[in-house]
Structure formats: structure tokens, C-alpha cells
Amino acid sequence: SDAEAGTALSDARRYLPEVGKPLYVGSCGCLALVVEGLAILGRLAEAAALSAQAEYVVANGPWCFYSQHLFRTSAGIAAAANGDWERAEKHYRIAIDQADSAPYRTAQPLARYWYAEMLLARCAEGDRERALKLLREALHLCEACGMPWHAQRSERRLSALSPAG
């Protein structure tokens, strides 16, 4: 439920990294999960409020938490939630490069999915077409590496954007 998610997110906040303090893999990972969780729940103002921590982790921490959550993707989500389109796009492009070059197979579709969401929110010329391409890539990659929940999200998003949807 939303109430349970809210409680879990509130409890997790004490474990988030603090700007200017030493970083720990656990706190960085917690940040990635909290930012994505907030975005999934549509709590964009709260995700945006974590931009400074996300930027700090990107500048000073590791690339990823396990191989699924690239911190560049988390920083992109926070920047997009803040309406900082240029910064978000930079993070997403780097995240895709990192995911593809490592390769972090499970991070590949996530970076593309969130980049597509940013493009759809920004709504500049050509963004919708680029977002559709990224969502199709995300769906294909999710199916290829066995990520059914994420594949369903990508498929639902594509369906909602189709002319019949």
C-alpha cells in the first residue's frame, strides 16, 4: 500500500548518504532504491529533493549498486523530477554508455526506461519519438534478460502512448 511504502521510505531516509561525508555502498544503494521508488510512486518532489545527494554519489561514489541500479540513472531521475532536463539527459546518456560498456545487462533497460520518461515529461520536439524508441529497446532488453515486471511496465507505457491507447 502507499502508506506502507511511505513508512518504508521514511525509515530509509536515515540511511541515505550525506553530501560532504564519506560514502558507503549501502547508503549509496539505499539512495538508488529510494529515488526510483519515489519516482515509481509519482512522488517527484521528494525524488527531486534528493538531487544533491544523487549528484554527490555520482561525483564521488561507485558506478552502481550491484549491477542493476546505476547511480547515473538515479541522478537522472532526481534531476528530471526537478525539471533540470539538461542535467537529467546528461546523466541518462552516461548511464546508458556505462550499462552498455560494462555490460550491466539489467541496468541497460532501466536507464533507457527512465530516459524515455524524462523525454516524455520534457515534451520538446522529437522527444516523443525518441522516448518510444527507448521504451521499445527497454522492453526488448527486459525480455532478453528475464525482467518480467520491468518488461510489463515498459509494455504498458508503450501501449498508453500508441495511437489506439
Side-chain angles (χ1 to χ4, degrees), residues 110-128:
L110 296 180
R112 285 166 171 82
Y113 177 89
W114 289 110
Y115 188 8
E117 286 295 329
M118 185 279 298
L119 291 170
L120 292 166
R122 181 174 70 182
C123 207
E125 186 176 335
D127 280 354
R128 188 176 195 282

Side-chain angles (χ1 to χ4, degrees), residues 142-158:
C142 286
E143 291 172 341
C145 64
M147 296 172 66
W149 186 83
H150 291 285
Q152 290 170 355
R153 281 184 69 222
S154 298
E155 196 166 41
R156 279 193 306 270
R157 193 65 169 120
L158 279 165

Side-chain angles (χ1 to χ4, degrees), residues 6 14 18-19 28-29 39 41 44 50-51 67 81 93 95 98 143 163-164:
R14 65 182 162 177
E18 294 181 48
V19 174
C28 294
L41 291 172
L44 300 181
L50 297 172
S51 289
S67 64
R93 287 183 177 183
Q98 288 176 342
E143 291 172 341

Side-chain angles (χ1 to χ4, degrees), residues 1-11 43:
S1 77
D2 281 349
E4 290 170 329
T7 300
L9 290 168
S10 292
D11 290 346
R43 294 165 64 171

